[in-house]
């Protein structure tokens, strides 16, 4: 079975892996990891310029020109702040795409669904391509889609937790319900988590800490590239059903000594 | 005169444009977005928008994030 292209809001991506730009040991390692991951879209955060210390080099100098930059609204706890941040990101980046985050709780960084849906509605009206980071809740995802989201990005587990997909069944249901792309965002710890997300039918996976925080980020980026490809192929290939007991792979006839 | 710049008090000798403020701060205007009293300022109008006494200015850029 041949794959369909990965298209978000009319833009086609060859790679189904989206990666972050935070928490790398250095900008140079980040750039190498991006290249190794094969990602064509990376997320960035929007923050105040450090007025007193202008010496810091710009992140953008280390992002390949061919990579599409997706600003996020991380750290926003209200719809208003997220909307303001999205508008600033658009102005700074000259793109009208946003990874929309409205966080509801500091410890879990779980999204505030109600505020997220409100902010999605407002930003879609302003012409944004909105990719909301959401709970792994099929109903919330449906409401986000109705509000005009161009994709839904359910979490696999809390941000930076590395716990892997906690509710595989919900991801499967979200895929079944959604007409827009489903991107599993957050919670990936290692390659098998990314592969599982794709095997469940996700259209893409977004991760940051799993790569940036690994002992060898560039190698892990490459592992993630392969995991996403492998998971996608496995999904398309139609896996065998799970059975309680063995079914022999070798012929039962002609065994010697019988 | 005093303005609020990125949430902190900041002294300016006289009202000046957004472009002049960025130049004073040694900030490349192509790499930032500016909000003036909660309004986003389009980059093409950085030279036209004047910052005055008591105004609030936010200057943001992109940093690493997920």
């Amino acid at each position: 079975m041949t794959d369909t292209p990965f298209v978000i809001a009319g833009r086609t991506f060859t790679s189904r892996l989206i990666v972050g730009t935070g928490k790398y040991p250095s900008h140079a390692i980040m750039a190498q990891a991006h290249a190794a991951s094969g990602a064509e879209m990376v997320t960035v955060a929007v923050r105040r310029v450090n007025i007193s210390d202008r010496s810091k080099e710009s992140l953008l100098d280390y992002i390949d020109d061919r990579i599409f930059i997706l600003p996020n609204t991380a750290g926003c706890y209200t719809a208003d702040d997220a909307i303001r941040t999205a508008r600033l990101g658009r102005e700074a980046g000259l793109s009208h795409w946003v990874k929309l985050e409205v966080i509801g709780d500091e410890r879990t960084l779980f999204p505030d669904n109600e505020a997220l849906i409100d902010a999605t509605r407002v930003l879609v009206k302003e012409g944004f391509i909105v990719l909301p980071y959401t709970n792994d809740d099929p109903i919330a995802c449906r409401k986000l889609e109705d509000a005009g989201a161009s994709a839904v990005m359910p979490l696999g587990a809390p941000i930076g937790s590395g716990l892997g997909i906690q509710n595989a069944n919900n991801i499967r249901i979200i895929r079944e319900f959604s007409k827009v792309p489903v991107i599993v965002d957050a919670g990936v710890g290692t390659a098998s988590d990314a592969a599982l997300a794709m095997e469940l039918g996700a259209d893409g996976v977004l991760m940051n800490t799993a790569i940036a925080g690994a002992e060898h980020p560039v190698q892990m980026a490459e592992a993630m590239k392969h995991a996403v490809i492998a998971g996608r192929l496995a999904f398309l290939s139609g896996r065998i059903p799970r059975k309680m007991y063995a079914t022999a792979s070798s012929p039962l006839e002609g065994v010697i000594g019988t | 005169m005093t303005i609020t710049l990125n949430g902190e008090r900041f002294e300016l000798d006289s009202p000046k444009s957004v472009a002049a403020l960025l130049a004073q701060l040694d900030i490349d205007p192509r790499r930032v977005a500016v909000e003036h009293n909660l309004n986003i300022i389009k980059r093409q109008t950085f030279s036209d928008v004047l910052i005055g006494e008591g105004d609030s200015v936010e200057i943001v850029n992109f940093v690493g994030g997920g």
Side-chain angles (χ1 to χ4, degrees):
Chain A
M1 182 183 171
T2 53
D3 202 354
T4 49
F6 180 34
V7 182
I8 309 171
R11 192 182 178 102
T12 304
F13 298 90
T14 309
S15 168
R16 293 174 178 273
L17 174 58
I18 304 165
V19 300
T21 56
K23 301 202 284 190
Y24 285 89
S26 71
H27 282 342
I29 290 176
M30 177 192 79
Q32 288 174 46
H34 284 172
S37 74
E40 294 162 321
M41 174 153 60
V42 301
T43 56
V44 297
V46 177
R47 289 291 179 273
R48 285 171 165 164
V49 169
N50 187 338
I51 302 294
S52 49
D53 175 17
R54 302 288 316 118
S55 61
K56 280 197 173 172
E57 47 194 359
S58 171
L59 172 77
L60 297 183
D61 294 334
Y62 290 86
I63 300 176
D64 192 301
D65 290 341
R66 291 164 295 185
I67 295 179
F68 185 73
I69 294 177
L70 178 67
N72 70 27
T73 64
C76 293
Y77 282 79
T78 65
D80 281 348
D81 281 350
I83 291 164
R84 262 178 88 189
T85 304
R87 288 172 181 154
L88 282 165
R90 171 163 67 177
E91 204 50 39
L94 305 170
S95 138
H96 57 303
W97 289 45
V98 63
K99 171 183 163 178
L100 186 64
E101 293 185 42
V102 187
I103 303 301
D105 174 66
E106 265 178 56
R107 202 144 69 106
T108 59
L109 297 179
F110 281 144
D112 177 335
N113 279 341
E114 201 181 352
L116 183 69
I117 294 162
D118 287 347
T120 299
R121 211 171 276 125
V122 170
L123 290 169
V124 166
K125 276 204 189 99
E126 292 184 14
F128 278 88
I129 301 299
V130 181
L131 281 55
Y133 160 70
T134 171
N135 281 309
D136 53 357
D137 171 2
I139 309 306
C141 288
R142 181 188 277 166
K143 287 183 178 178
L144 287 164
E145 189 177 326
D146 290 346
S150 294
V152 289
M153 305 210 293
L155 55 84
I159 294 171
S161 69
L163 287 172
I165 315 288
Q166 295 297 289
N167 199 335
N169 203 41
N170 275 24
I171 301 294
R172 210 180 272 128
I173 293 170
I174 289 166
R175 179 53 284 169
E176 200 184 308
F177 277 17
S178 301
K179 287 182 216 68
V180 294
V182 176
I183 299 162
V184 170
D185 178 4
V188 167
T190 187
S192 52
D193 299 330
L196 175 61
M198 298 308 293
E199 286 169 20
L200 294 170
D203 300 277
V205 181
L206 196 165
M207 65 183 73
N208 185 359
T209 309
I211 294 174
E215 214 169 304
H216 302 292
V218 181
Q219 254 171 263
M220 187 57 98
E222 191 181 348
M224 292 301 182
K225 175 173 87 175
H226 295 307
V228 167
I229 292 170
R232 180 66 183 176
L233 280 173
F235 170 71
L236 294 171
S237 305
R239 60 152 298 154
I240 59 163
R242 289 181 170 84
K243 280 177 273 185
M244 281 278 278
Y245 300 103
T247 314
S249 307
S250 309
L252 299 175
E253 308 79 36
V255 179
I256 60 161
T258 51
Chain B
M1 56 175 255
T2 307
I3 64 166
T4 305
L5 176 59
N6 284 0
E8 302 202 354
R9 284 169 58 94
F10 190 83
E11 295 297 329
L12 282 183
D13 16 343
S14 60
K16 57 176 63 177
S17 69
V18 170
L21 175 65
L22 292 175
Q24 179 186 326
L25 296 169
D26 193 24
I27 293 172
D28 183 347
R30 293 166 303 177
R31 288 288 171 86
V32 295
V34 179
E35 195 190 67
H36 176 233
N37 295 337
L38 299 180
N39 294 313
I40 307 275
I41 308 302
K42 295 270 169 211
R43 196 166 285 136
Q44 310 87 276
T45 65
F46 278 180
S47 303
D48 310 325
V49 177
L50 273 188
I51 300 162
E53 172 69 33
D55 285 0
S56 177
V57 177
E58 295 278 355
I59 305 173
V60 301
N61 63 356
F62 289 139
V63 300

